[in-house]
Amino acid sequence: MSLYDAIRLTEIMLGIAFAQQSLEHLKSFTNERWLFLPRLILAVLLIIGFQAAWVCFLLLLLGIAILHRFQGPYNGGADRMSLLILSCLTLAHFAPTEKWQELAFGYLALQLMLSYFISGWVKISNIDWRSGRALRDVFQFSAYPVSEHLRALSTSPRLLHAMSWSVMIFELLFPFALLSEISLFIALGIAASFHLANACLFGLNRFFWIWVAAYSSIIWFQQWLQIRGIL
Amino acid sequence: MKKLTSLNMLNTIKRLLPALLPSWRFFDFIVASPRIQFSLLKTENETSRQWQEFRPRPTQLSFAAMIKRLLWNPEWNESLFMVSCAERLLDQPTQHSEDEILKRIQHDITKNHSDTSAIHEASHLQFRILLINRKGTELLQEIAFTSRIQLMQDER
């Protein structure tokens, strides 16, 4: 995948994610509509590829305004990932040479890899995650399970123990997926399924769309590393 | 004025930095979890006695409904934002977080429960934050915050 194709695919996926988020806000308060209606229009422009560099820049400014409006992220990590992707895309568009473009877009790929690896590292460092207790707590009393019925999963310690270790091992091994194209595609398939499960069980739908939007950066990055004989 | 603008800029940069240099420490520790409860009052001086959970989650959700929420999930995302506001209130209280929660509760109850008599009789609103945590095998609840009593704006 060329750098141009990877950037374009990221823009399309990001546009879809922003359109979805913006539509959700249009039924809200007037002062939110003033922020999210322009965002929806810019998202559509990004999808069709109209003046993508300036659209990314405007979306970044709007993202900062939204951050200011809610005095922090509205949707935690999903909003932070959105701003990270937008910053990298904007820098890549306005970079003076291809080397700088690669650096900006490569930073996104690196952060995507770290998003899995560090999450796995902080979990495995915690005895509650290693014993499965942390995931039981998530189901038992956290604000995330989407129905009361799901809380019953907290009474299945063996299942949650296995789930905890599966998640931790997958997250920690994620960087090794870069070793080949096939292993990366398999890892991204598993990662997308993981986000899909989080969207279903915990209602974190925005995480699903925004993380998938960053995937083309790591596909391009893996090929970039391979072409240069780094892998 | 100039000082206020600089302060705003500084706060915005402080909020933007975690996006540019993320920590990615998702769910590293499972901490006490906040729940928002509200009470409708007839006067400003009434003491809240009947607390109701704000947007209690459904008993069960079908797989189809979960998939639908992948595309359309505004209420749940708003509830997660209110959880963030509740956490901010307990961590570093600001008027903004309290206002956001009060505004969203009032909007929700006038929109979705306007047919109940309690809404029509009420003129004021108050919320509190319950903090749920596990000690050993037991779940403990404590009232961690009680908001001001707010006059309800007429949205009916």
Side-chain angles (χ1 to χ4, degrees), chain A residues 23 48 62-63 85-86 104 220-221:
Chain A
L23 284 169
I48 62 172
L62 203 52
I85 298 175
L86 267 179
W220 162 79
F221 186 62

Side-chain angles (χ1 to χ4, degrees), chain A residues 5 14 40 91 160 221 230:
Chain A
D5 288 342
L14 188 68
L40 177 63
L91 282 174
L160 295 180
F221 186 62
I230 299 169

